[in-house]
Structure formats: structure tokens, C-alpha cells
Amino acid sequence: MSREAADPVRRAAELVETWSGVSVSESQLPVLAEDLARIGGPEGAAGVVARLLGGDHAAREAILARVTPPETYFFRHASHFQILASLVRSRRADGRACTVLSAGCSTGEEAWSAAVILAALDGGEPPAGRLRDSVIGWDLAADRVARAARGRYRAWSVRAGLAGYDALFRRDGDEWEVQPRVRGLVRFEQQNLLDPALPWPGRFDAIFFRNVAIYWKQETVERACENLTRLLASDGVFLLGPCDPVPAALAGWPTQLVDGAQAYRPPPPPCYAPTRRPPPPAAPVPAAAPLPAAAWVPAPPLPTTRAAGDAGLMAELEALAARGAHAEALDRLRSRRSPATILDRRCEAVLLLHLGREAEALALFRQCVFLEPEDPAHRRWLAVGLAALGRNDDAERENRNALALER
């Protein structure tokens, strides 16, 4: 690509990143140039850039649709929806509604999946004084918001199945349509996650922020995460995809890793100093019900499926990791791992990730997959290791492999 041709392409890339946060790398510029040529026609890339700078809405929507992949499907990373179901049951037991945000909802499959969980667990009309459950889908691309609102999908969107909720969909030829009782729970809006004044009057009980930040620079991820965490209830849950970078804003949050999918809780408020008396609470705040699988510990947790005889060692490693003593935990594991098991290797790899030794961790995750290729958990962890090295395409492939093994 000549410099003259590249200059408007680079300018378009700068505009795209400013609007959407999506970073266009040097290697992606030729692809962006082709997209601009298709959109601009005789005007070429320079003409499209001029239209973008002039505020042409249609040109902006067209280029955003090209650079922000709409890849999604129903019940993607199914463990997150198990966590959501547990949260909904907790809210029901306390007489509370559940509000869910799908941040970067694309064509809506994630938001509808959450709504299906709410509808399936709904006992009908809410009791007096309890608000209705709701799901909000936000996305930057207007055409995807419109597609999401239709609630109709072809087979590709349900390729992972409907998690047993088929009754909440209607089959219409080669399409699936959500039932009316689900539709009443959801609305979609065009919003920019980088806008610090995101319009929501309350707090969300669950925020899905998955497979969006993998296309962003870290500083952009931090901006969006800061905006979103302000909207999370104090006992809510924040959900990241297995390939997503972990924002610094979530450092120190209690977390859970289930089948490679990450979930975070806000930390408890700091204790009051002994010389100060806290103000009386307006109303008692019920504690959230425990989520499925392991207790919430600093992430990523160590694998916990071990032989009974190793329970003491695992408890010791967990305690060291909880204190941030990952190097000590690694030395302890290596001193006791004769004969080494595959799970020992996976634990070692997780500790190496904590220590920033991603390449060594990746080699061990690959050994686990080689020795037990039919175990989906190994492939989920391999995806985590690949994502830590920025190899998001490879990580997504391994997650697909894991999903195929789980069927």
C-alpha cells in the first residue's frame, strides 16, 4: 500500500478507534482499505474519510459494521448463565427484581439468553412492591441494535443449543423467534460504552461484558470498565469472557473461574475505623446466595479436582495464592509433585500465569491437552494461556474445541 493510499486509511482507523475503541493494527490496514473502497465506491478511501469527518451517519455505521465483528450465539459460555440463574434465585428469595445489562450486545443473542433465564424462573406477576425483571442490551452499531430487537435468528445463532429452554422459542421455518413472554423483559438501545454518562438510573445486578474488549487497547478497556462498574449493584456480578483482558479496575475483586469463563463480585466496603460509628443502614441488605462451583477466591483460582489424599496440599496452595504468595505456592507444589499428575501441571501453569510467566504456563497447558485431549477443561485453560499472550484468535479456537467436547 502506497503512503498516499495509506494516509486516509490510517485516518479512518484513528476515527474508528475514537468512536468505538476498536484498535486497527498495522497488519489490518489493507483489510480496512478494501472495506473503505467498497463503501466509498468511486470516491475511494479519501472520500469516505471526508464523509466521516463531515458527520455522515450512514458512512460511520457502514465502517463500524466492518470493523466490529458481530460473532455471538445463544448461551455462549454456558457457565455464566448458570451463575446468572443462581443470582436470580437469590433475588427471588429476597423479593427483589433482577436487572441485567448486555454491554456490547451485538445482534442480541446474549441479552435474549439472559432474558430466557429470567422468564424461566419467573413465577408470573411480581409481588406488590417488587419491580419487574429486565434486560438491557447496549451496542454502538444501530443496525445491530435493530436486528437484536427483532428477536429472530437462524440456526447459526443456536449452534450451541438452547440449554433446555426450547419452549421459550418458536420455530418459524428455518428461524427461531423468542416467545412474547420473553420479549416483554428486554429492550435494546444504541449506546457507546466509552461514554462516561451512560444513562441508567439504578444499578444492574449482572453485567455481561464479554468478547468486546478483546478488540480494544488496554487503556480503552479500562475506560469502559470504569463506566460499567459504576453501574453494578454492590452485590452484583460482573462477567468477562475467557479471552477478555482483565481490567485493572477489577484487581482485588473476589472472582470465580468456571470452565474458563470469568465472573467478578465487587469487594466488600472497607471497615469503619474504631473511632467512628457507621450510620444506621436504611434497610438490611441481604447477602447474595453463593454461586455454583468453588468458593470465591482471588483469580484465577487453582483447579480443585484432586484425589482425596491431595486435599491438604490443595488447601495449602489455595491459602498461599489467596495471600498473593504465588511464588511460594509454586515452590511448594514442585516440591511435592512426585509422581507428577496432569492436574499438578495445570496447577503449576495457573501459578506461572500469576507470576507473569505466560510462555511457560502455555507450554504446560499444551502438555495437558496433549495427554488428555478429550478433557474440555484443559482446552479452556489453554485458551486462557493463549489470551494472556494476546493470541485471541487461537484462544477462541480452543474455546470452540472445548465447547464441541462438552456437547
Side-chain angles (χ1 to χ4, degrees):
M1 182 186 300
S2 68
R3 181 171 181 176
E4 292 74 13
D7 285 343
V9 177
R10 287 197 171 89
R11 182 62 178 134
E14 292 170 1
L15 293 172
V16 165
E17 185 168 350
T18 299
W19 294 327
S20 69
V22 175
S23 178
V24 181
S25 67
E26 192 74 19
S27 63
Q28 294 172 309
L29 289 177
V31 178
L32 178 59
E34 293 179 8
D35 291 335
L36 291 168
R38 291 192 193 95
I39 296 168
E43 298 174 306
V48 178
V49 171
R51 287 163 55 193
L52 292 172
L53 292 171
D56 188 312
H57 181 76
R60 177 172 167 173
E61 286 292 319
I63 194 62
L64 287 177
R66 294 282 187 179
V67 300
T68 53
E71 170 61 16
T72 185
Y73 51 88
F74 278 94
F75 297 101
R76 187 180 192 182
H77 313 316
S79 56
H80 275 165
F81 295 99
Q82 297 168 10
I83 290 173
L84 176 62
S86 177
L87 181 69
V88 173
R89 293 188 187 99
S90 171
R91 295 295 194 261
R92 293 280 190 277
D94 298 327
R96 301 164 64 189
C98 192
T99 57
V100 181
L101 171 65
S102 174
C105 66
S106 187
T107 48
E109 288 91 331
E110 177 180 86
W112 289 117
S113 297
V116 164
I117 298 290
L118 295 175
L121 296 175
D122 193 4
E125 285 295 315
R130 195 192 93 188
L131 299 175
R132 285 187 174 276
D133 296 325
S134 62
V135 179
I136 309 298
W138 285 344
D139 200 87
L140 184 60
D143 64 321
R144 290 176 190 165
V145 169
R147 287 170 59 191
R150 288 198 291 270
R152 292 178 66 91
Y153 299 92
R154 294 188 179 274
W156 185 242
S157 292
V158 298
R159 59 188 181 275
L162 294 173
Y165 296 103
D166 302 56
L168 293 173
F169 294 82
R170 184 178 70 88
R171 190 70 181 267
D172 183 13
D174 61 349
E175 292 187 328
W176 294 82
E177 182 178 19
V178 294
Q179 293 278 20
R181 61 179 288 206
V182 181
R183 285 185 176 277
L185 297 171
V186 187
R187 77 171 186 264
F188 295 94
E189 299 173 351
Q190 186 180 15
Q191 298 291 350
N192 189 338
L193 302 182
L194 303 181
D195 183 352
L198 289 169
W200 185 250
R203 294 290 183 267
F204 290 102
D205 297 281
I207 294 179
F208 287 77
F209 181 48
R210 311 185 308 168
N211 309 301
V212 178
I214 55 176
Y215 304 106
W216 291 350
K217 292 180 178 178
Q218 189 63 33
E219 56 266 30
T220 307
V221 176
E222 301 296 343
R223 284 174 56 198
C225 189
E226 182 179 350
N227 292 341
L228 293 172
T229 52
R230 287 188 291 101
L231 302 179
L232 183 66
S234 61
D235 58 349
V237 61
F238 195 90
L239 303 164
L240 294 179
C243 299
D244 289 326
V246 179
L250 300 183
W253 284 35
T255 188
Q256 186 180 29
L257 188 65
V258 182
D259 294 335
Q262 304 167 82
Y264 293 81
R265 293 272 199 180
C271 296
Y272 287 91
T275 56
R276 296 178 58 193
R277 296 185 63 185
V285 180
L291 297 184
W296 290 69
V297 296
L302 298 173
T304 55
T305 307
R306 298 181 62 88
D310 290 332
L313 174 61
M314 179 51 60
E316 185 179 351
L317 295 178
E318 290 281 4
L320 289 169
R323 299 202 312 264
H326 301 108
E328 186 179 347
L330 181 62
D331 290 341
R332 188 77 182 95
L333 174 62
R334 287 176 169 174
S335 70
R336 285 280 303 275
R337 67 171 195 174
S338 181
T341 67
I342 293 178
L343 189 56
D344 286 326
R345 298 182 193 202
R346 211 167 82 194
C347 288
E348 182 178 357
V350 173
L351 291 168
L352 287 167
L353 275 183
H354 274 291
L355 294 168
R357 295 158 63 177
E358 292 89 352
E360 295 173 71
L362 185 62
L364 288 173
F365 287 139
R366 287 194 184 282
Q367 288 181 22
C368 294
V369 170
F370 177 78
L371 293 169
E372 291 184 348
E374 301 303 315
D375 187 334
H378 295 331
R379 294 189 180 273
R380 293 285 190 195
W381 278 105
L382 176 57
V384 172
L386 288 164
L389 287 168
R391 296 170 56 180
N392 293 321
D393 290 343
D394 293 335
E396 182 63 24
R397 184 193 66 244
E398 288 304 330
N399 277 309
R400 289 196 298 268
N401 290 338
L403 180 64
L405 290 170
E406 289 165 354
R407 289 174 182 167

